[in-house]
C-alpha cells in the first residue's frame, strides 16, 4: 500500500463520485428489482475499466471550477 496522501479536495471529489455511483445502483435496483449479485458483477466489470484522473489534471480542473469566470 502506498503512503501517498490525497489532498482534501481530491477526497471530496472521489467521495462525491462514489456517492453518485451508490445512488445510481440503488435506483437501478429499485426500478428493476435487480439482485445484489448482478449489481455487484456490473460494478466489478465497470470498476475494472475506471481510472482515477491524473492528479495534476484534477488539480487544474478544481482550480478552474473554483475560480470566478472572467467575461
Amino acid at each position: 500500500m502506498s503512503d501517498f496522501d490525497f489532498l482534501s479536495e481530491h477526497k471530496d471529489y472521489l467521495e462525491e463520485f462514489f456517492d453518485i455511483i451508490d445512488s445510481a445502483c440503488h435506483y437501478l435496483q429499485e426500478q428493476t428489482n435487480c439482485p445484489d449479485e448482478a449489481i455487484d458483477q456490473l460494478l466489478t466489470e465497470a470498476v475494472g475499466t475506471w481510472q482515477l484522473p491524473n492528479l495534476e489534471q484534477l488539480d487544474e480542473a478544481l482550480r478552474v471550477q473554483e475560480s470566478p469566470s472572467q467575461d
Side-chain angles (χ1 to χ4, degrees):
M1 181 62 106
S2 171
D3 60 354
F4 180 83
D5 288 325
F6 282 100
L7 298 176
S8 62
E9 293 86 4
H10 296 156
K11 290 178 184 177
D12 292 343
Y13 174 82
L14 292 173
E15 285 176 9
E16 180 180 353
F17 176 76
F18 284 107
D19 285 345
I20 291 168
I21 299 300
D22 184 57
S23 294
C25 288
H26 284 288
Y27 181 78
L28 176 66
Q29 192 169 37
E30 289 173 359
Q31 296 299 311
T32 65
N33 294 319
C34 184
D36 288 344
E37 297 80 17
I39 291 177
D40 288 346
Q41 180 180 356
L42 177 65
L43 285 175
T44 299
E45 291 174 13
V47 167
T49 64
W50 291 343
Q51 294 181 8
L52 290 177
N54 176 293
L55 293 180
E56 289 179 14
Q57 291 173 337
L58 178 58
D59 285 338
E60 180 60 25
L62 290 170
R63 277 192 290 275
V64 168
Q65 181 179 3
E66 292 172 357
S67 67
S69 62
Q70 298 175 359
D71 291 12

